[in-house]
Amino acid sequence: MENILKIDKIEKYYGNKGSLTKAVDNISFDVNTGEFVAIMGASGSGKTTLLNLISTIDKVTSGHIYVADSDITKLKGNDLNKFRREELGFIFQDFNLLDTLTAYENIALALSIQNVSASQIDKRIKKVAGDLGITSVLKKYPYQMSGGQKQRVASARAIITDPKLILADEPTGALDSKSSKMLLESFNYLNSEKKATILMVTHDAFTASYASRVIFIKDGKIFNEIHKGKNTRKEFFDKIIDVVTLLGGDLNDAL
């Protein structure tokens, strides 16, 4: 399979020579086109820093990150803005919807920036809204929606531009169990039917069990990696719990 993401020996240090903190310590891995990969780790393990480096929110200290063979660690200015706008979709834990815009307008914004015609915007929004089950809230403002609806609107906004890579940072962190399950089923649909490539950071084993592969981070390094393969989601969940136990984490605390 073709690699969409290649992480090559990246490191991220904070501080100075007298007090250096290694947030990411010589990490390398690949993600294939159409994969759904979860990254798990305790608070402070480096998983969110890793996601920030891939999303170009933060810069690597050393190493390289390639998205579709382009070294994004070297992008600057307009090229960097173009990459963020066209190649990446980002789903935040706190939704990051604009309160003064309806769901429809929030989703349309990314396409408007790309100068897509109004008729095409309308067609694409109606399609993605149907896929994610949010047609009924398109005319509503964020304050009129449930947490689950807001997160699915945020997901629609992230995928509407057909990005090469969707990054999700604790996407179920602010949701109740029912909304979490609906969102994760939506992710499964995007991954299996739309062939979307998803890289998701989560502390939750149930959430991670929806992925096809889980990478575990500890102290800024890769601790372990497991694949779902032909396991059921329940069997994969049990395998995740086994690794969490090895990590020494407490699911009700750090993991």
Side-chain angles (χ1 to χ4, degrees):
M1 293 181 71
E2 178 187 354
N3 285 346
I4 188 66
L5 174 67
K6 182 178 178 63
I7 308 295
D8 184 23
K9 299 177 181 176
I10 64 169
E11 296 185 331
K12 180 62 180 181
Y13 299 167
Y14 292 106
N16 51 43
K17 289 183 179 180
S19 178
L20 268 184
T21 300
K22 281 187 178 182
V24 174
D25 188 1
N26 196 31
I27 283 181
S28 297
F29 65 90
D30 297 340
V31 175
N32 290 325
T33 301
E35 261 198 297
F36 184 179
V37 179
I39 297 174
M40 292 190 75
S43 178
S45 63
K47 64 185 187 299
T48 298
T49 300
L50 176 61
L51 198 70
N52 288 342
L53 294 172
I54 296 168
S55 67
T56 69
I57 290 173
D58 207 347
K59 292 185 177 182
V60 299
T61 303
S62 64
H64 300 273
I65 301 171
Y66 300 90
V67 174
D69 296 325
S70 175
D71 187 348
I72 66 171
T73 59
K74 294 181 178 180
L75 296 178
K76 295 179 181 178
N78 290 336
D79 290 335
L80 181 57
N81 291 334
K82 186 174 186 291
F83 167 74
R84 290 170 175 165
R85 188 171 63 243
E86 297 180 6
E87 310 293 343
L88 280 188
F90 209 109
I91 302 169
F92 302 88
Q93 178 177 342
D94 55 357
F95 321 129
N96 277 19
L97 298 176
L98 297 175
D99 292 336
T100 56
L101 300 182
T102 64
Y104 185 100
E105 292 165 340
N106 266 284
I107 300 167
L109 194 58
L111 293 176
S112 300
I113 292 170
Q114 293 184 6
N115 295 318
V116 177
S117 68
S119 60
Q120 271 299 310
I121 289 175
D122 190 63
K123 181 179 178 181
R124 288 165 70 171
I125 289 178
K126 286 177 178 175
K127 177 67 171 64
V128 75
D131 290 343
L132 295 181
I134 52 171
T135 302
S136 63
V137 302
L138 285 179
K139 293 182 180 180
K140 293 184 178 181
Y141 291 90
Y143 76 90
Q144 298 172 309
M145 296 180 241
S146 69
Q149 289 170 335
K150 283 189 277 192
Q151 193 58 296
R152 279 181 284 150
V153 169
S155 299
R157 181 186 57 188
I159 67 167
I160 196 71
T161 57
D162 293 323
K164 288 187 171 69
L165 182 63
I166 297 170
L167 304 176
D169 185 12
E170 299 281 8
T172 61
L175 303 181
D176 59 38
S177 58
K178 182 181 178 181
S179 296
S180 293
K181 188 172 182 180
M182 289 178 68
L183 178 68
L184 292 166
E185 293 291 351
S186 297
F187 278 17
N188 258 357
Y189 171 81
L190 294 173
N191 178 244
S192 60
E193 300 299 323
K194 298 295 184 181
K195 308 304 178 188
T197 305
I198 303 172
L199 184 65
M200 173 180 69
V201 161
T202 181
H203 70 281
D204 180 58
F206 175 78
T207 299
S209 70
Y210 277 80
S212 56
R213 174 164 57 119
V214 181
I215 297 171
F216 297 86
I217 305 291
K218 183 177 183 179
D219 299 328
K221 298 181 179 182
I222 292 179
F223 174 80
N224 202 345
E225 180 180 323
I226 57 174
H227 294 256
K228 184 177 183 180
K230 294 183 178 180
N231 289 307
T232 64
R233 192 172 60 75
K234 174 62 169 66
E235 290 168 340
F236 193 40
F237 173 83
D238 291 339
K239 289 174 69 175
I240 292 169
I241 294 296
D242 288 343
V243 178
V244 168
T245 303
L246 285 175
L247 269 169
D250 180 350
L251 276 175
N252 295 316
D253 180 19
L255 267 177

Coordinates of all heavy atoms in Angstrom, one line a residue, residues 55-85:
S55 N 0.5 18.3 12.2 CA -0.4 19.3 11.7 C 0.3 20.6 11.4 O -0.4 21.5 10.9 CB -1.5 19.5 12.7 OG -1.0 20.1 13.9
T56 N 1.6 20.7 11.7 CA 2.4 21.9 11.5 C 2.0 23.0 12.5 O 2.4 24.2 12.3 CB 2.4 22.5 10.1 OG1 1.1 23.0 9.7 CG2 2.7 21.4 9.1
I57 N 1.2 22.7 13.5 CA 1.0 23.7 14.6 C 2.3 24.0 15.3 O 2.6 25.1 15.7 CB -0.1 23.2 15.6 CG1 -1.4 23.1 14.9 CG2 -0.1 24.0 16.9 CD1 -2.5 22.5 15.7
D58 N 3.2 23.0 15.4 CA 4.5 23.1 16.1 C 5.5 22.6 15.1 O 5.2 21.9 14.1 CB 4.5 22.2 17.3 CG 5.5 22.8 18.4 OD1 6.3 23.6 18.0 OD2 5.5 22.3 19.5
K59 N 6.8 22.9 15.3 CA 7.9 22.6 14.4 C 8.8 21.5 15.1 O 9.1 21.6 16.3 CB 8.7 23.8 14.0 CG 8.0 24.8 13.2 CD 8.9 25.9 12.7 CE 8.2 26.8 11.8 NZ 9.1 27.9 11.3
V60 N 9.3 20.6 14.3 CA 10.2 19.6 14.8 C 11.5 20.2 15.2 O 12.0 21.2 14.6 CB 10.4 18.4 13.8 CG1 9.1 17.7 13.5 CG2 11.1 18.9 12.5
T61 N 12.2 19.6 16.2 CA 13.6 20.0 16.5 C 14.6 19.4 15.5 O 15.5 20.0 15.0 CB 14.0 19.6 17.9 OG1 13.1 20.2 18.8 CG2 15.4 20.1 18.2
S62 N 14.3 18.1 15.1 CA 15.0 17.4 14.1 C 14.2 16.3 13.5 O 13.1 15.9 14.1 CB 16.3 16.8 14.7 OG 16.0 15.8 15.6
G63 N 14.6 15.8 12.3 CA 13.8 14.8 11.6 C 12.9 15.4 10.6 O 12.9 16.6 10.3
H64 N 12.2 14.5 9.9 CA 11.3 14.9 8.8 C 9.9 14.3 8.9 O 9.8 13.1 9.3 CB 12.0 14.5 7.5 CG 13.3 15.2 7.3 ND1 13.5 16.4 6.8 CD2 14.6 14.8 7.6 CE1 14.8 16.8 6.7 NE2 15.5 15.8 7.3
I65 N 9.0 15.0 8.4 CA 7.6 14.5 8.2 C 7.2 14.6 6.8 O 7.2 15.8 6.2 CB 6.6 15.2 9.1 CG1 7.0 15.1 10.6 CG2 5.2 14.7 9.0 CD1 6.2 15.9 11.6
Y66 N 6.8 13.5 6.2 CA 6.4 13.6 4.7 C 4.9 13.3 4.6 O 4.4 12.3 5.2 CB 7.1 12.5 3.9 CG 8.7 12.7 4.0 CD1 9.4 12.1 4.9 CD2 9.3 13.5 3.0 CE1 10.8 12.2 5.0 CE2 10.7 13.7 3.0 CZ 11.4 13.0 4.0 OH 12.8 13.2 4.0
V67 N 4.2 14.1 3.9 CA 2.8 13.8 3.6 C 2.7 13.8 2.1 O 3.0 14.7 1.4 CB 1.8 14.9 4.1 CG1 0.4 14.7 3.7 CG2 1.8 14.9 5.7
A68 N 2.3 12.6 1.6 CA 2.3 12.3 0.1 C 3.6 12.7 -0.5 O 3.6 13.4 -1.5 CB 1.1 13.1 -0.5
D69 N 4.7 12.3 0.1 CA 6.0 12.5 -0.4 C 6.5 13.9 -0.3 O 7.7 14.2 -0.8 CB 6.2 12.0 -1.9 CG 5.9 10.5 -2.0 OD1 6.3 9.8 -1.1 OD2 5.4 10.1 -3.0
S70 N 5.7 14.8 0.2 CA 6.2 16.2 0.4 C 6.7 16.4 1.8 O 6.0 16.1 2.8 CB 5.0 17.2 0.1 OG 5.4 18.5 0.4
D71 N 7.9 16.9 2.0 CA 8.5 17.1 3.3 C 7.9 18.4 3.9 O 8.3 19.5 3.6 CB 10.0 17.3 3.2 CG 10.7 17.3 4.5 OD1 10.0 17.5 5.6 OD2 12.0 17.2 4.6
I72 N 6.9 18.2 4.8 CA 6.2 19.4 5.3 C 7.0 20.1 6.4 O 6.7 21.3 6.7 CB 4.8 18.9 5.9 CG1 5.0 18.0 7.2 CG2 4.0 18.3 4.9 CD1 3.7 17.8 7.9
T73 N 8.1 19.6 6.8 CA 9.0 20.3 7.8 C 9.7 21.4 7.1 O 10.3 22.3 7.8 CB 10.0 19.3 8.5 OG1 10.8 18.7 7.5 CG2 9.2 18.2 9.3
K74 N 9.7 21.4 5.8 CA 10.4 22.5 5.0 C 9.5 23.5 4.5 O 10.0 24.5 3.9 CB 11.2 21.8 3.9 CG 12.4 20.9 4.4 CD 13.2 20.4 3.2 CE 14.3 19.5 3.7 NZ 15.1 19.0 2.6
L75 N 8.2 23.3 4.7 CA 7.2 24.3 4.1 C 7.2 25.6 4.9 O 7.3 25.6 6.1 CB 5.8 23.7 4.1 CG 5.6 22.4 3.2 CD1 4.2 21.9 3.4 CD2 5.9 22.7 1.7
K76 N 7.1 26.7 4.1 CA 7.0 28.0 4.7 C 6.0 28.9 4.0 O 5.6 28.6 2.8 CB 8.3 28.7 4.7 CG 9.4 28.0 5.5 CD 10.8 28.8 5.4 CE 11.8 28.1 6.2 NZ 13.1 28.8 6.1
G77 N 5.5 29.9 4.6 CA 4.7 30.9 4.0 C 3.5 30.4 3.3 O 2.7 29.6 3.9
N78 N 3.3 30.8 2.0 CA 2.1 30.4 1.3 C 2.0 28.9 1.0 O 0.9 28.4 1.0 CB 2.1 31.1 -0.1 CG 1.9 32.6 0.0 OD1 1.2 33.1 1.0 ND2 2.3 33.4 -0.9
D79 N 3.2 28.3 0.9 CA 3.2 26.8 0.7 C 2.7 26.1 1.9 O 1.9 25.1 1.8 CB 4.6 26.3 0.4 CG 5.1 26.7 -1.0 OD1 4.2 27.0 -1.9 OD2 6.3 26.8 -1.2
L80 N 3.0 26.6 3.1 CA 2.5 26.0 4.3 C 1.0 26.2 4.5 O 0.3 25.3 4.9 CB 3.3 26.6 5.5 CG 3.0 26.1 6.9 CD1 3.2 24.6 7.0 CD2 3.8 26.8 8.0
N81 N 0.6 27.4 4.2 CA -0.8 27.8 4.3 C -1.6 26.9 3.3 O -2.7 26.4 3.6 CB -1.1 29.2 4.0 CG -0.5 30.1 5.0 OD1 -0.4 29.7 6.2 ND2 -0.2 31.4 4.7
K82 N -1.1 26.7 2.1 CA -1.8 25.9 1.1 C -1.9 24.4 1.6 O -2.9 23.8 1.4 CB -1.0 25.9 -0.2 CG -1.7 25.2 -1.4 CD -0.9 25.5 -2.7 CE -1.6 24.9 -3.9 NZ -1.6 23.5 -3.9
F83 N -0.8 23.9 2.2 CA -0.8 22.6 2.7 C -1.9 22.4 3.8 O -2.7 21.5 3.8 CB 0.5 22.2 3.3 CG 0.5 21.0 4.1 CD1 0.4 19.7 3.5 CD2 0.6 21.0 5.5 CE1 0.4 18.5 4.3 CE2 0.6 19.9 6.3 CZ 0.5 18.6 5.7
R84 N -1.9 23.3 4.7 CA -2.9 23.3 5.8 C -4.4 23.4 5.3 O -5.3 22.7 5.7 CB -2.7 24.4 6.8 CG -1.4 24.3 7.6 CD -1.2 25.6 8.4 NE -0.1 25.5 9.3 CZ 0.6 26.5 9.9 NH1 0.1 27.7 9.6 NH2 1.6 26.3 10.7
R85 N -4.5 24.2 4.2 CA -5.9 24.5 3.7 C -6.4 23.3 2.8 O -7.6 23.0 2.9 CB -5.8 25.7 2.9 CG -7.2 26.2 2.4 CD -7.0 27.6 1.8 NE -6.2 27.6 0.6 CZ -5.0 28.3 0.5 NH1 -4.6 29.0 1.5 NH2 -4.3 28.2 -0.6

